[in-house]
Amino acid sequence: GGGKMAAAGREEPPVVLEVVAEEAAAAASAGFRLTAVRRDPAVRLQHGASGLEPLAWSEDHRVSVSTARSIAVLEQLSDVHSGGQDMVIHRTAVPAPAAACLLKVGPKKEVAECKEKFASSADPTVSQTFMLDRVFNPEGKSLTPMRGFKYSSWSPLGCDANGRCLLAALTMDNRLTIHANLNRLQWVQLVDLTELYGERLYEAGYKLCKADTPCGELGDFPEFQRRHSMQTPVRMEWSGICTTQQVKHNNECRDVGSVLLAVLFENGNIAVWQFQLPFLGKESITSCNTIESGISSPSVLSWWEYEHNNRKMSGLIVGSAYGPVKILPVNLKAVKGYFTLRQPVVLWQEMDQLPVHSIKCIPLYHPYQKRSCSLVVAARGPYVFWCLLLISKAGLNVHNSHVTGLHSLPIVSMTADKQNGTVYTCSSDGKVRQLIPIFTDVALKFEHQLIKLSEVFGSVRTHGIAVSPCGAYLAVITTEGMANGLHPVNKNYQVQFVTLKTFEEAAAQLLESSVQNLFRQVDLTDLVRWKILKDKHIPQFLQEALDKKIESCGSTYFWRFKLFLLRILYQSMQKAPSEATWRPSHEDTKISISDSPGMGSTEDDQEEGTSKQASKQGLCDTSKGVDIDDPAEDSLHQSSDIGGREPMEEKLLEIQAQIEAVEMHLTREHMKRVLGEVYLHTWITENTSIPTRGVCDFLMSDDGYDDRTARVLIGHILKKMNKQTFPEHCSLCKEILPFTDRKQAVCSNGHIWLRCFLTYQSCQSLVYRRCLLHDSIARHPTPEDPEWIKRLLQGPCTFCDSPVF
């Protein structure tokens, strides 16, 4: 199964897939079956899903759902502050624009005259074609208006101002826009690419290159159609982040991150936009080049990115509604280390009328050829077409074939787990197939197994699937299926979640993680969180493996993982309130305070005696939220609660102490990092905004803390500072702010300021930033800050790895 493989090892590419292949073969022979378990809650959509592939899951754990009125965005959080077992989902939306999008094909007045002329033409082939074409008439008139979204696509991580993903959205009426979510609640449109591209074409006279023959008159219907089809987007896809070089005024070169967005148009052209990062809007656009693909009726596109001997190859894979699939070369100007093909490579050439619906390109490692390769999978009707691309001394090797017999209906949605190459396909009847690639000497074969969603959700129809970034969950858009042979009267669209991995697999993957960042693995940490909240303890094997990792390896990632586990354990031990706290209680008059459940007086405690069993019993009951009206349950609840109260509180205090100790360790490690930066970047007398002396004193104040590196570093810094102290002052009363607490600063007049956890400076302004899980706060960078402080302030939270807003 996919999960088993995933856990096999993530250290180095070479190891992974050999293990993968053997494990998968073993799993197949053992008849291992993936058990999909439902994960609550299901999220109800306010409008029906729309467009092709309506579901996409971003690298920063946000699921976008294209609907008839907006793009619903569901952000998955691994919340350490909530004891509820359900998945924590933060919901926002990108609304569809109110005005219809009219493509720019010429001067407004001329366009209006031409439309009038075509609509009233005596030739029915012209008037009918014109009236019924939704590109020419998006607002409809006699037809229903085009509302909703056709497609959405997430950029890689690190593209917006907060270092997260951007969302490219394509409406039904062909408006292509890019949005960012900068303040947690609202989405902002950064740029309208349809408008910009229309302007470009208008200025170029609707010719792509200078040598083009002069174009016809707008009054000719074929020319009118041509100008529309050359700017009607079909799909758009983001490339990975690449590095470009920028020459500064003093002739220094600096590396700048950039990302490409390829937009496929109806006539087969592809516009490749290049954006400088972070993407802020129109001013971040570096260039836009148009490539002619020569594919008629194009339907889908995907980036091909291949790394071979430290040389990066790139190209665009384009599929057609008639069947062919080919890779086009993309020449990237000013992008370091990128190469491309000399000419297009045809992966499938038959015009067999099987439309290509979806293409995924997955980088893998070939265990027998001992080199990296690309696996391209495309959904064509009910079949999966696959192609293995491998660069050897002889050139580019292409192996291709089809996997048949997967579905009895056409595939409506396909998604891939990029980490291990597992592909998931689904048809509208609620059947999902998991395809696991297994390498053979030359090419590969697929093991596949069926996931029947009807066994998890009952009878459903499926409209789209997406797999989470680390492969832990599958999101599915469902509506009611047939009941007793009848179709449902109403359709309720829901996004539901299914687990694809077991807790053990998720834990193993987190321990062997190559990214070493908890935020980037939220889907895995959520599975772990769920298990601990259910069982109310951290499994022994995980504790031991983690302690071993902490001993053998200096990475703070494992300390953060430990902190995460302890916090969840602490939440699981908390008493669940047996009734909603906001609801007025009608029982007040009947129960005197000392008798109320769980309030037993201290004398009772001593009489009852503390039994371990009773404490466990009390825990189980409170977690279910016992109904107080039932007298039998009430008495049981009461006695066990009184019996188990003290050990419970002791246990909580013990966990709290452990949490404190781990947080302290992480703080000290980060303090050492900050002091290292201070030592490297400051002159002897320069006052940086970092309370250097305070941090040094704080690190040395605990006798139990003996770290040689810290001692040596502090010695060097104090020598550099001589006797200067540069204390921080309270902005209200000008008193000195002592550094006694890592989280806050309190002056002698009692004014309290929170400390920035990235620089340890006190935040004395009204505005500051918070990390996603509200663990800690950070100040905003100021124009006076040197580069290295700005760089420190870009860091994620030191406790939970989440980004800071």
Side-chain angles (χ1 to χ4, degrees):
K4 283 271 195 278
M5 296 167 14
R10 284 279 140 74
E11 293 294 336
E12 287 299 323
V15 189
V16 180
L17 274 151
E18 268 178 86
V19 179
V20 165
E22 287 163 21
E23 286 241 351
S29 60
F32 171 77
R33 194 157 168 271
L34 174 81
T35 46
V37 181
R38 178 189 182 133
R39 180 79 169 100
D40 285 330
V43 180
R44 177 129 179 228
L45 298 173
Q46 284 142 330
H47 305 284
S50 68
L52 294 161
E53 295 280 354
L55 208 54
W57 205 319
S58 75
E59 285 177 24
D60 61 356
H61 306 279
R62 294 185 283 194
V63 181
S64 64
V65 194
S66 306
T67 75
R69 290 284 180 278
S70 65
I71 292 180
V73 182
L74 315 174
E75 180 171 0
Q76 185 192 0
L77 299 176
S78 194
D79 194 354
V80 288
H81 307 297
S82 97
Q85 285 188 24
D86 280 2
M87 201 188 252
V88 181
I89 289 170
H90 180 261
R91 187 170 173 164
T92 48
V94 183
C101 169
L102 295 165
L103 300 175
K104 191 173 178 67
V105 290
K108 265 193 180 149
K109 194 176 164 205
E110 196 185 332
V111 172
E113 286 166 8
C114 291
K115 284 190 167 183
E116 195 65 40
K117 177 180 140 189
F118 299 140
S120 55
S121 167
D123 181 354
T125 56
V126 173
S127 60
Q128 294 278 340
T129 309
F130 174 77
M131 292 302 286
L132 293 174
D133 194 311
R134 302 316 304 265
V135 179
F136 307 148
N137 297 304
E139 67 268 346
K141 302 287 189 282
S142 56
L143 306 165
T144 52
M146 296 285 278
R147 290 296 301 274
F149 287 86
K150 197 189 288 187
Y151 190 64
S152 68
S153 171
W154 290 100
S155 78
L157 199 61
C159 291
D160 77 357
N162 290 327
R164 301 191 69 187
C165 302
L166 296 163
L167 181 63
L170 177 59
T171 59
M172 282 290 189
D173 58 7
N174 302 308
R175 190 192 300 271
L176 173 57
T177 48
I178 295 178
H179 302 259
N181 169 217
L182 299 172
N183 63 0
R184 291 294 321 278
L185 294 175
Q186 126 209 45
W187 286 83
V188 184
Q189 179 181 309
L190 298 178
V191 69
D192 181 338
L193 292 180
T194 297
E195 193 186 321
L196 290 181
Y197 196 66
E199 288 290 337
R200 278 172 178 254
L201 288 175
Y202 179 67
E203 282 161 21
Y206 297 92
K207 293 189 296 188
L208 285 175
C209 54
K210 299 277 187 287
D212 269 9
T213 48
C215 54
E217 291 299 311
L218 188 59
D220 302 337
F221 194 53
E223 173 63 17
F224 185 79
Q225 284 175 306
R226 183 186 83 89
R227 289 190 190 183
H228 275 93
S229 78
M230 72 193 296
Q231 53 180 315
T232 304
V234 180
R235 291 274 179 109
M236 64 285 171
E237 296 294 345
W238 296 89
S239 72
I241 290 177
C242 40
T243 317
T244 53
Q245 274 199 339
Q246 197 182 47
V247 181
K248 299 204 307 208
H249 298 302
N250 56 0
N251 280 347
E252 263 183 43
C253 279
R254 78 179 185 124
D255 285 353
V256 178
S258 68
V259 70
L260 306 163
L261 181 69
V263 185
L264 176 65
F265 294 105
E266 220 172 56
N267 69 344
N269 289 347
I270 299 170
V272 180
W273 294 88
Q274 185 174 8
F275 306 125
Q276 191 174 319
L277 299 180
F279 182 74
L280 305 169
K282 226 180 202 170
E283 66 275 17
S284 303
I285 297 173
T286 320
S287 65
C288 175
N289 298 312
T290 304
I291 306 168
E292 294 186 46
S293 74
I295 280 194
S296 53
S297 204
S299 59
V300 59
L301 115 138
S302 174
W303 280 92
W304 175 61
E305 290 173 323
Y306 184 98
E307 214 164 310
H308 170 67
N309 292 348
N310 293 334
R311 289 170 61 133
K312 288 182 181 138
M313 302 281 286
S314 74
L316 281 164
I317 310 166
V318 184
S320 156
Y322 297 135
V325 181
K326 69 177 180 182
I327 303 184
L328 302 171
V330 180
N331 282 311
L332 304 179
K333 295 186 183 73
V335 178
K336 281 195 347 192
Y338 269 80
F339 298 85
T340 190
L341 304 161
R342 289 200 185 92
Q343 67 259 9
V345 175
V346 178
L347 304 183
W348 183 254
Q349 61 185 20
E350 304 298 323
M351 299 279 267
D352 49 18
Q353 308 299 317
L354 278 178
V356 183
H357 171 81
S358 172
I359 294 178
K360 298 279 179 252
C361 181
I362 308 157
L364 293 174
Y365 183 84
H366 200 304
Y368 301 114
Q369 303 284 336
K370 300 269 187 285
R371 57 184 69 230
S372 50
C373 59
S374 293
L375 173 62
V376 177
V377 280
R380 301 179 69 242
Y383 312 124
V384 169
F385 164 75
W386 64 265
C387 184
L388 189 69
L389 300 163
L390 191 95
I391 293 177
S392 66
K393 289 194 172 68
L396 182 67
N397 301 338
V398 180
H399 298 274
N400 65 12
S401 182
H402 280 80
V403 185
T404 57
L406 295 173
H407 296 278
S408 50
L409 290 169
I411 292 168
V412 292
S413 187
M414 179 170 78
T415 179
D417 178 352
K418 288 276 170 75
Q419 297 201 339
N420 58 13
T422 307
V423 177
Y424 298 88
T425 58
C426 99
S427 52
S428 59
D429 55 5
K431 294 195 171 90
V432 175
R433 285 273 179 185
Q434 181 195 41
L435 289 97
I436 301 158
I438 292 166
F439 285 97
T440 58
D441 291 348
V442 192
L444 52 76
K445 60 180 185 183
F446 284 95
E447 285 289 340
H448 52 87
Q449 56 182 334
L450 180 66
I451 306 169
K452 272 192 182 163
L453 293 178
S454 57
E455 290 172 7
V456 187
F457 303 127
S459 169
V460 287
R461 286 179 72 83
T462 37
H463 304 270
I465 55 172
V467 69
S468 65
C470 301
Y473 289 116
L474 188 72
V476 192
I477 300 179
T478 63
T479 51
E480 293 85 348
M482 289 174 76
N484 306 326
L486 296 170
H487 286 286
V489 183
N490 296 324
K491 270 190 180 180
N492 290 310
Y493 284 86
Q494 287 187 314
V495 179
Q496 310 217 49
F497 296 92
V498 177
T499 63
L500 295 173
K501 293 204 156 118
T502 61
F503 159 74
E504 288 75 16
E505 287 161 356
Q509 202 170 328
L510 282 164
L511 285 170
E512 297 305 323
S513 159
S514 56
V515 286
Q516 301 227 335
N517 179 307
L518 292 174
F519 170 70
R520 291 188 51 188
Q521 307 176 84
V522 163
D523 48 341
L524 296 172
T525 59
D526 185 71
L527 270 180
V528 172
R529 172 180 166 269
W530 189 25
K531 169 84 171 171
I532 294 173
L533 287 174
K534 273 196 299 197
D535 296 358
K536 300 188 185 304
H537 76 95
I538 301 169
Q540 193 62 38
F541 86 91
L542 179 54
Q543 263 183 331
E544 286 169 4
L546 190 54
D547 290 341
K548 200 177 275 176
K549 285 274 183 196
I550 285 174
E551 273 170 42
S552 66
C553 153
S555 167
T556 53
Y557 163 72
F558 297 109
W559 284 90
R560 289 194 296 276
F561 189 17
K562 184 174 183 174
L563 176 63
F564 169 78
L565 295 176
L566 288 169
R567 284 167 157 185
I568 301 300
L569 182 63
Y570 186 75
Q571 286 300 334
S572 75
M573 300 283 182
Q574 296 282 25
K575 291 199 184 74
S578 50
E579 254 188 65
T581 41
W582 50 266
R583 193 179 294 143
S585 164
H586 303 298
E587 302 294 310
D588 290 353
T589 47
K590 294 184 202 166
I591 303 177
S592 70
I593 295 297
S594 64
D595 292 347
S596 68
M599 284 290 291
S601 64
T602 42
E603 289 140 37
D604 288 355
D605 283 0
Q606 276 124 29
E607 282 173 37
E608 286 278 337
T610 50
S611 80
K612 283 273 192 287
Q613 192 52 45
S615 79
K616 277 203 185 101
Q617 180 75 50
L619 252 175
C620 304
D621 290 343
T622 44
S623 71
K624 286 181 198 143
V626 174
D627 191 358
I628 292 185
D629 294 340
D630 182 348
E633 285 203 356
D634 190 351
S635 57
L636 183 146
H637 173 98
Q638 191 179 340
S639 62
S640 63
D641 201 74
I642 293 161
R645 215 175 99 188
E646 282 195 347
M648 211 39 234
E649 281 181 8
E650 273 172 33
K651 189 99 174 62
L652 280 173
L653 287 170
E654 187 190 318
I655 299 170
Q656 228 169 346
Q658 284 179 294
I659 289 175
E660 271 295 303
V662 177
E663 281 187 1
M664 196 57 170
H665 175 84
L666 287 167
T667 302
R668 284 172 174 152
E669 288 302 305
H670 185 65
M671 280 178 170
K672 274 163 42 184
R673 196 182 144 216
V674 173
L675 289 176
E677 293 283 331
V678 169
Y679 182 68
L680 286 177
H681 292 103
T682 54
W683 303 112
I684 300 162
T685 54
E686 186 187 18
N687 177 19
T688 70
S689 59
I690 289 176
T692 311
R693 173 76 67 167
V695 173
C696 292
D697 293 349
F698 182 80
L699 272 178
M700 301 311 283
S701 61
D702 182 5
D703 301 331
Y705 176 63
D706 186 34
D707 182 330
R708 192 165 172 276
T709 25
R711 272 212 318 273
V712 172
L713 182 62
I714 289 170
H716 283 313
I717 286 176
L718 295 183
K719 200 183 279 173
K720 216 181 194 187
M721 285 178 73
N722 210 340
K723 290 194 173 66
Q724 291 162 312
T725 53
F726 302 124
E728 283 187 292
H729 292 276
C730 172
S731 63
L732 293 179
C733 62
K734 302 289 175 275
E735 287 295 320
I736 283 181
L737 284 174
F739 198 113
T740 48
D741 184 348
R742 59 200 167 91
K743 287 186 176 171
Q744 58 183 33
V746 187
C747 81
S748 53
N749 290 329
H751 298 132
I752 298 178
W753 306 104
L754 294 172
R755 286 202 179 278
C756 162
F757 70 98
L758 291 171
T759 63
Y760 297 107
Q761 187 195 9
S762 56
C763 288
Q764 299 191 33
S765 63
L766 289 174
V767 286
Y768 49 77
R769 304 174 302 148
R770 274 184 101 160
C771 83
L772 191 65
L773 297 184
H774 293 187
D775 250 348
S776 41
I777 71 154
R779 68 182 182 85
H780 282 279
T782 61
E784 306 82 75
D785 283 335
E787 277 300 310
W788 62 274
I789 286 191
K790 285 182 181 161
R791 207 171 49 242
L792 268 178
L793 286 169
Q794 280 171 357
C797 175
T798 49
F799 299 130
C800 64
D801 283 333
S802 67
V804 187
F805 293 95

